[in-house]
Amino acid sequence: MQRRWTSRKQAGLLEHERIVAEDSSTCYSQRVSIEFFCEYCGKSTPALKPSSWRCICGGPWSLPPGPPFDPDAITSAASGVWRFHRQIRLPSGHYPTLGEGCGRWLRANNEPSIALAHLEPTLSFKDRGVTTLLAWASLAAQPPLIEDSSGNAGGSFAAYAAAAGIPCRIYVPASAPPGKIAALHAFGAEVVKIDGPRFNTTEAAIADNDGTYCSHAWNPMFLEGTKTMAFQWWQEHKGQFPKRIYVPAGQGSIVLGLFYGFREINAAIPDFTVPAIMPVQHRTAASLWEPINIDGPAVEPRPDDVPSIADGIAIDQPVRKEALITAVTQTGGRVIAVGNEEIRNAQRKLTTMGVWAEPTGAVAMAGHMQVGDDDDALVVVSGHGLKTGKV
């Protein structure tokens, strides 16, 4: 089934009425001032001088749809993410980079293709989003930069902040894997451990007024980096994608990154066939299940599912929940819920293919295996097994 977005001027959650017309899209390459807009009330604020880390109504800031994807504007003079600089709404020359942007596909007979999104400088796909987030912070934020994370985003944030020479403070759950906390210290971040559920960590970071809260979940510039997955895969595979893409989903930055990237490709290439985006969540934090599977059975965690071994997606309520629901439904996808046993089996399955993934990184494979899908699919591995050292 071919899916496309027919009007780029359609008002609404993901198609904002203030979008720049296609015939004047050169303004993006000239890096004129852009605005964030609130996904809830539509209020706007200058992107490089935002009024706060979120809208006064409590909604997250977002960006209007980007310019139509231009293959001729791809540059070979930068890394995987920044070779698509024209699609990223930031001024030229202001970005820290560690060479991020791998994500090559591994193909095996009678198996789904595997997107090696974990083979990044800090062994997590989060590097794609953090490079653009830190580029924004270098222009718009007052140090120290403040972030909250269960591990991977914090490690990436600390590494890129170190590369940019900007001090940062990372709030983490006290239960975060020791190896991930050690990485934060190694990069020189100030680490604050918070007891209790994941939400407590976010609340503590928000309450810290000594610096700028630069959350990868709340700041839309993070998604400017993750959407480059779509562009890179389009370039490397000549626009040919499997029918379905399985991705782990907590805050859903891969889901939204792919959705936004596909939307920009579709704006330039109307006959581009958009793959179905298949978010996979843990049964203890399956916030997207009920809104999308309205008539389906409720998700009930099993005794072995508590506590979740997929700490990277232990998010009860994602910041951009409505946007995630739109991304899944508009691409014809579905939500899959898995538990600890399925994730461990998926980790073992991946090792037989030469891929070592941490539990969260193996969630997408667990979803593919549970559905019993065929090989016309792409499974995204998001975090390396070295993060936890376990299989």
Side-chain angles (χ1 to χ4, degrees), residues 110-284:
N110 302 316
E111 298 289 353
S113 296
I114 307 297
L116 304 175
H118 63 313
L119 298 184
E120 297 289 358
T122 72
L123 304 182
S124 167
F125 85 93
K126 296 281 176 59
D127 292 352
R128 281 185 182 266
V130 168
T131 185
T132 50
L133 178 56
L134 262 291
W136 171 88
S138 70
L139 298 169
Q142 177 66 37
L145 308 181
I146 300 168
E147 166 72 299
D148 62 283
S149 166
S150 61
N152 285 348
S156 180
F157 197 94
Y160 281 78
I166 305 175
C168 70
R169 181 178 302 127
I170 312 294
Y171 284 76
V172 299
S175 60
K180 295 185 179 183
I181 293 177
L184 300 178
H185 289 295
F187 291 124
E190 180 183 350
V191 181
V192 182
K193 297 181 182 179
I194 302 297
D195 292 323
R198 176 66 175 84
F199 181 75
N200 289 4
T201 304
T202 299
E203 289 293 291
I206 291 171
D208 187 341
N209 296 318
D210 179 29
T212 304
Y213 184 48
C214 297
S215 167
H216 68 285
W218 285 90
N219 194 303
M221 283 300 177
F222 186 86
L223 301 175
E224 287 290 277
T226 59
K227 75 179 184 182
T228 63
M229 279 188 184
F231 307 145
Q232 182 174 338
W233 294 344
W234 183 92
Q235 180 189 30
E236 292 177 352
H237 300 279
K238 298 180 172 56
Q240 301 301 308
F241 284 80
K243 293 180 179 178
R244 292 164 296 281
I245 302 180
Y246 290 79
V247 301
Q251 290 290 0
S253 56
I254 300 181
V255 173
L256 292 178
L258 289 175
F259 180 58
Y260 295 161
F262 290 151
R263 182 173 58 188
E264 292 177 23
I265 294 172
N266 187 253
I269 308 170
D271 62 353
F272 170 66
T273 300
V274 179
I277 299 176
M278 312 281 281
V280 186
Q281 299 191 294
H282 194 273
R283 280 192 285 264
T284 59

Side-chain angles (χ1 to χ4, degrees), residues 288-321:
L288 301 179
W289 175 270
E290 185 175 341
I292 293 178
N293 298 279
I294 298 175
D295 299 322
V299 173
E300 296 291 342
R302 300 171 187 172
D304 178 57
D305 291 337
V306 182
S308 169
I309 60 174
D311 58 285
I313 57 171
I315 306 296
D316 291 329
Q317 291 298 327
V319 168
R320 304 177 191 276
K321 184 175 179 179

Side-chain angles (χ1 to χ4, degrees), residues 20-34 66-68 70 72-74 84-93 224 264:
V20 177
E22 290 183 19
D23 60 2
S24 62
S25 63
T26 53
C27 72
Y28 288 102
S29 62
Q30 295 168 357
R31 305 294 179 251
V32 302
S33 177
I34 58 170
D70 183 3
D72 293 333
I74 299 172
F84 305 105
H85 194 215
R86 182 187 177 279
Q87 307 299 133
I88 299 171
R89 272 76 61 84
L90 282 169
S92 300
E224 287 290 277
E264 292 177 23

